[in-house]
Amino acid sequence: MPRKFIQRFMPDHELIKRQKALRIFGNVLYNPNLWVLNRRSASGAFAVGLFMCFVPLPSQMIMAAGLAIAFGVNLPLSVALVWISNPITMPIMFYLAYKLGAWVMQLPTQSFHFELSWNYLISQMSTIGPPFLLGCAICSVVLSITGYFGIRALWRYSVVRSWQKRKLKLSLFSKAK
């Protein structure tokens, strides 16, 4: 069940191989282990993708692809999960990460307004930067561990449930004879 469900949402691997940004990885993209979907590759891909979605840097997809290649987990799933932090969800996620970091550091949260300028970013990094980065790190680690073990548990549950259904069908079939 998880394999069929996840495969419905996975992009075509030929399309991913043709992406210009991923050409930096060269022929390593032709490794068949990066495209297979099993319990190990899916849970690892969830860990990589969920970890990278809280990294406050551009090119999260390229970094997720690099980690997926390094760990040998499903590449399309890792890259797709980074899009949890999209332009709509990113402000909420990063604000909550800032609040968590400020709470852990026992700092009062500051009200701020966003301004798209280099001077603004430099000045704000000294005040809200440390709690924001700490909150992002905590969220990345917790979400990736939760995703890893959650997918492994879901996969195992699905396999056990399918075994039980098969066993039930066999018992009903043998009684019918």
Side-chain angles (χ1 to χ4, degrees):
M1 180 257 174
R3 180 179 298 159
K4 291 177 184 175
F5 180 75
I6 292 171
Q7 281 180 336
R8 277 192 276 169
F9 300 104
M10 284 183 38
D12 181 37
H13 67 275
E14 290 300 326
L15 180 70
I16 292 175
K17 286 179 187 177
R18 289 191 300 259
Q19 293 294 319
K20 289 181 183 180
L22 296 179
R23 287 187 185 158
I24 61 173
F25 296 116
N27 289 336
V28 100
L29 291 178
Y30 295 101
N31 180 355
N33 291 332
L34 298 176
W35 309 102
V36 70
L37 190 61
N38 56 33
R39 183 176 60 184
R40 183 196 164 281
S41 70
S43 59
F46 265 79
V48 167
L50 293 175
F51 181 85
M52 290 309 301
C53 77
F54 267 98
V55 173
L57 295 172
S59 68
Q60 294 170 319
M61 288 181 13
I62 294 172
M63 291 185 281
L67 286 175
I69 290 168
F71 291 119
V73 298
N74 190 282
L75 179 68
L77 194 54
S78 297
V79 171
L81 283 166
V82 169
W83 278 96
I84 290 173
S85 65
N86 57 58
I88 296 170
T89 61
M90 198 177 290
I92 297 164
M93 291 170 57
F94 286 165
Y95 179 71
L96 293 175
Y98 165 70
K99 296 277 281 188
L100 175 65
W103 178 75
V104 169
M105 294 177 77
Q106 297 179 349
L107 296 173
T109 57
Q110 300 176 1
S111 62
F112 58 91
H113 67 285
F114 183 73
E115 185 179 308
L116 192 57
S117 71
W118 188 251
N119 290 334
Y120 171 78
L121 291 174
I122 297 297
S123 69
Q124 290 299 313
M125 273 300 134
S126 63
T127 57
I128 66 169
F132 170 65
L133 295 175
L134 177 64
C136 285
I138 291 170
C139 289
S140 286
V141 170
V142 168
L143 201 58
S144 89
I145 290 171
T146 303
Y148 178 82
F149 288 111
I151 290 299
R152 288 189 73 89
L154 178 66
W155 203 287
R156 177 148 174 82
Y157 170 76
S158 175
V159 169
V160 168
R161 198 176 84 195
S162 69
W163 285 349
Q164 289 171 346
K165 283 182 181 179
R166 189 177 308 146
K167 187 177 175 181
L168 180 63
K169 283 181 185 179
L170 287 173
S171 69
L172 290 175
F173 181 71
S174 65
K175 286 181 183 179
K177 283 186 172 184

